Amino acid sequence: MQIQDLPYPDPGVPDARSGPRFLWWLFRNQLSGQLKSLAWGLLHFASVASLPFSVGLAVQAAVDRSGGRLALAGGLLTLACVGNAVGDGFLHRAAVTNWITAAARVQQLLARKAATLGSALTRRVAAGEVVAVSTGDVEKIGWFVEALSRFTAAAVTIVLVCVGLLVYQPALGVVVAAGLPVLAIAVLPLLPRATRRADTQREKAGRATELASDTVAGLRVLRGIGGEELFLDRYRRASQEVRHAAVHSARMWSLIAAIQVLLPGLLLITVVWYGVHLAREGRITVGELVTVYSSVMVLGYPLRHFEEIAMAYSFSRPSAKRAARVLSLGRATDTTGSRDAETPTGDLYDPATGLLAPAGLLTAVVCGDPDVAGRLAERLGGHAAEQGTSVLLGGVALDELPLNSARAAVLVQDKDPVLLSGTLRELLDVPASGAVDPRDALDAAQCGDVLAALVQGSLDTDDPMDARITERGRSLSGGQRQRLALARSLVTDPEVLVLDEPTSAVDSHTEARVAQGVRALRARRTTVVFTSSPLLLDRADRVVFLDGDSVAAVGGHRELVRTEPRYRAVVTRETEDEAALTEALAEGGALREGGIPDKDGALRDDEVLHRLEELEDLEEIEETA
């Protein structure tokens, strides 16, 4: 795989049982690139290691005044330099390719996992950790995968040089062959401590990233309550902890680097001292002493790759562990499905709760517990993250369909939809039936003021469709982001659209118009809205009330307000004292069909409705209608 061929057609199925297993899986899946890097690395290191032999041959030829051997030494030096240049250049090219392709494979795997899990991902893994894995951790993982082949080439070269020195000059070769393994393993006792410190640094950095992400995401709310300084102080403390951990880790790595310099120096001194002693006794020539000395000097270069691979593994292991944790997450159902791909039509039915959303109608669902609403909304989309009974669409179990087919049939917009950066035109460029024009969707979602704000904030365009949206729509208010997300969902025009609190951040006047727009645009399409807003409930074809995990009542909004106290308590935010008062009046016979006595003792239904729904301003509903 070359860089120009990215992305991968299929990044594969990773071994996510542990961090080391994931690293080994990456290495195996890039075997051809690793072998290519190993081959160029062997050429590079072998060329570097052959320089001392050529230099020693040249020195001895000069001492012996042999022109032929001096020319031979010159030719060998030229050949070694050419091999060094070619090997180093292509080794760098192959190593960078391995690094980038490994990082790209991990990013594709993470993106595929995020697409598969959807909103369930951030409920099971902190958003900051996901960001850390997809950015910094990917780079660390790629570093280790790339460094492994270079380290192997360096290790093979060191072994070959030791064997060559033993054959070339046994007396000094024994010293070098005995000293080099000590140099290679001298830092091993320090690696566990260095690894622990690196792990601590990465954990603290991950927590700081998570805190920063949460702070930025909630900055508008924090400013509203004056809490910016509190969270900034928390981030300052977290960043200082990261700095202290980084310094603590760097001290250990500096000690390892110092040992890597000190021990080769001691070996070099030993070789020179013993070599001079042998030369004075006439047991070796000057050329042989220069060769062995130069070899020890040059071996410091491949020896440094032992330190690099130790650092790469220490930093990549926790990164690979986090990546494996994310990649090991899965859905409770098989996303490939057991049925052929199709887009079923008909009624949407959840056997677990008894919820029925008839085809072509706007069904509003009221849940006393928001968490229940969130789980039910996810289940209605099929392939829920938790094991359970499958939802049926037209009698077809959505969990038995391939995930893509289930997503094409049922679109779920959760409470906090994400707006990606780019132009508004790009935001609305989503898979769609083509039956809904983006302008109509924007009008139905009441995005007129949003478009005006986008144009006003863009200096280079007058067309709101070409206006740019900042990352996650941070320049927009919560209500504006909700309406743009709703417009995007309306453009897709799915068979079934499930909206979870689509207008929770919108004012009541706009909310009433949004309700009317959605109802008109989704005519003859199945729409399910999870809400407790009377403005939306009053425009639904039918309202389903869930008490706990099962359907408790079905009917119209006004009918349920009169006849179902539990429903009334949810949609009117009725307090316990108010509920007790209402119950007492009902038991005393003062209420008849929801009425209360007026001054003349007559029973008036409009007054009880006003009393029970004053928090939602029922009169505003009447005026808007």
Side-chain angles (χ1 to χ4, degrees):
M1 172 63 71
Q2 298 298 315
I3 296 177
Q4 63 265 23
D5 298 326
L6 294 174
Y8 287 93
D10 181 10
V13 180
D15 185 349
R17 288 176 291 176
S18 66
R21 288 178 183 271
F22 179 60
L23 290 174
W24 175 243
W25 178 84
L26 281 175
F27 179 82
R28 287 190 292 107
N29 277 269
Q30 293 187 266
L31 191 57
S32 61
Q34 296 293 339
L35 292 176
K36 186 183 298 184
S37 179
L38 176 62
W40 291 118
L42 287 173
L43 175 61
H44 169 57
F45 288 117
S47 299
V48 172
S50 65
L51 290 173
F53 292 93
S54 302
V55 171
L57 179 62
V59 171
Q60 191 60 43
V63 171
D64 297 338
R65 298 181 181 276
S66 173
R69 284 188 292 161
L70 187 62
L72 176 62
L76 292 176
L77 279 172
T78 302
L79 185 62
C81 290
V82 172
N84 181 24
V86 173
D88 189 23
F90 282 95
L91 171 61
H92 179 73
R93 180 185 179 90
V96 170
T97 299
N98 288 337
W99 189 336
I100 293 177
T101 52
R105 186 187 294 272
V106 177
Q107 286 182 324
Q108 279 189 250
L109 290 171
L110 292 170
R112 185 175 68 182
K113 181 61 64 175
T116 301
L117 293 177
S119 60
L121 175 61
T122 52
R123 291 202 297 268
R124 300 169 68 178
V125 181
E129 184 171 349
V130 176
V131 173
V133 171
S134 59
T135 54
D137 285 341
V138 166
E139 183 178 348
K140 299 294 188 299
I141 293 171
W143 177 27
F144 174 75
V145 173
E146 171 268 328
L148 194 56
S149 56
R150 287 191 290 110
F151 162 73
T152 304
V156 171
T157 301
I158 290 174
V159 173
L160 293 176
V161 169
C162 289
V163 173
L165 288 177
L166 286 173
V167 174
Y168 178 74
Q169 179 42 251
L172 286 177
V174 170
V175 176
V176 176
L180 284 178
V182 175
L183 297 183
I185 65 175
V187 298
L188 290 182
L190 300 177
L191 288 181
R193 184 178 298 179
T195 300
R196 288 194 298 271
R197 293 187 180 185
D199 290 350
T200 301
Q201 177 192 352
R202 299 301 298 171
E203 290 174 3
K204 291 183 179 295
R207 287 197 295 269
T209 301
E210 181 180 349
L211 181 60
S213 177
D214 293 342
T215 302
V216 173
L219 190 58
R220 185 182 295 273
V221 176
L222 292 176
R223 285 175 175 170
I225 62 176
E228 312 102 293
E229 289 300 324
L230 174 62
F231 275 79
L232 286 176
D233 288 341
R234 290 181 181 177
Y235 181 73
R236 289 191 189 99
R237 290 194 297 269
S239 64
Q240 289 301 313
E241 290 179 2
V242 174
R243 183 179 67 84
H244 289 308
V247 172
H248 199 52
S249 177
R251 287 173 180 168
M252 183 57 65
W253 288 112
S254 65
L255 176 60
I256 292 175
I259 293 175
Q260 292 280 14
V261 173
L262 175 63
L263 294 184
L266 294 177
L267 177 62
L268 186 62
I269 292 173
T270 302
V271 168
V272 171
W273 174 81
Y274 187 54
V276 170
H277 174 71
L278 294 178
R280 291 177 63 183
E281 292 181 352
R283 297 169 58 184
I284 62 172
T285 64
V286 174
E288 292 174 335
L289 176 59
V290 171
T291 298
V292 176
Y293 169 80
S294 301
S295 297
V296 175
M297 287 285 294
V298 169
L299 285 178
Y301 171 55
L303 274 174
R304 286 200 297 271
H305 287 76
F306 284 76
E307 177 190 356
E308 182 191 9
I309 196 64
M311 291 183 66
Y313 180 72
S314 298
F315 281 98
S316 66
R317 188 177 63 84
S319 297
K321 181 180 178 181
R322 280 195 290 268
R325 180 190 171 204
V326 174
L327 295 174
S328 65
L329 299 175
R331 290 188 172 274
T333 56
D334 182 9
T335 56
T336 59
S338 57
R339 301 172 62 104
D340 294 335
E342 61 175 303
T343 304
T345 60
D347 297 342
L348 184 68
Y349 177 66
D350 177 30
T353 60
L355 171 65
L356 174 66
L361 298 183
L362 173 59
T363 301
V365 182
V366 178
C367 297
D369 186 352
D371 293 334
V372 172
R375 291 193 297 268
L376 178 55
E378 180 188 11
R379 192 163 65 248
L380 291 180
H383 294 279
E386 299 177 357
Q387 188 67 44
T389 306
S390 175
V391 170
L392 306 177
L393 178 59
V396 177
L398 291 178
D399 289 354
E400 296 177 2
L401 294 174
L403 182 62
N404 291 339
S405 297
R407 292 291 176 269
V410 182
L411 174 65
V412 179
Q413 177 181 305
D414 59 17
K415 288 185 178 69
D416 187 22
V418 176
L419 301 182
L420 301 179
S421 59
T423 64
L424 181 57
R425 193 183 308 278
E426 293 169 342
L427 176 70
L428 299 179
D429 184 17
V430 293
S433 67
V436 177
D437 185 86
R439 300 281 183 177
D440 294 335
L442 291 168
D443 290 340
Q446 300 300 308
C447 294
D449 63 314
V450 185
L451 301 182
L454 290 175
V455 171
Q456 186 177 4
S458 301
L459 302 178
D460 54 350
T461 182
D462 293 329
D463 187 351
M465 298 299 290
D466 294 325
R468 296 199 63 81
I469 300 173
T470 57
E471 182 187 3
R472 298 180 67 91
R474 299 194 192 282
S475 61
L476 303 173
S477 68
Q480 290 173 328
R481 289 196 298 269
Q482 273 192 338
R483 282 176 282 159
L484 282 180
L486 176 59
R488 179 178 59 187
S489 299
L490 293 174
V491 166
T492 61
D493 189 37
E495 182 66 28
V496 179
L497 177 60
V498 179
L499 304 172
D500 190 1
E501 295 290 352
T503 58
S504 59
V506 177
D507 64 84
S508 58
H509 295 282
T510 305
E511 186 177 30
R513 292 193 295 270
V514 168
Q516 189 63 34
V518 171
R519 181 183 176 88
L521 194 64
R522 292 287 299 173
R524 295 180 297 279
R525 284 289 205 182
T526 307
T527 307
V528 180
V529 181
F530 287 83
T531 184
S532 59
S533 168
L535 294 169
L536 291 176
L537 296 171
D538 197 51
R539 282 159 178 75
D541 295 310
R542 65 200 305 267
V543 178
V544 179
F545 173 59
L546 270 71
D547 186 22
D549 294 327
S550 61
V551 173
V554 179
H557 167 58
R558 302 193 181 202
E559 174 190 356
L560 293 178
V561 166
R562 292 189 179 96
T563 61
E564 181 53 62
R566 293 170 297 177
Y567 174 84
R568 182 170 60 242
V570 173
V571 300
T572 66
R573 279 64 165 180
E574 188 178 51
T575 65
E576 293 183 2
D577 292 340
E578 291 173 330
L581 175 60
T582 304
E583 187 68 22
L585 290 172
E587 292 177 356
L591 291 179
R592 179 176 58 80
E593 296 181 353
I596 62 174
D598 62 4
K599 295 179 180 179
D600 300 325
L603 300 178
R604 296 179 54 187
D605 290 344
D606 58 336
E607 289 186 8
V608 72
L609 284 174
H610 179 73
R611 174 67 183 87
L612 295 175
E613 299 190 9
E614 62 182 356
L615 293 177
E616 302 297 339
D617 198 355
L618 185 58
E619 291 182 352
E620 183 178 85
I621 297 178
E622 304 273 330
E623 294 172 1
T624 305

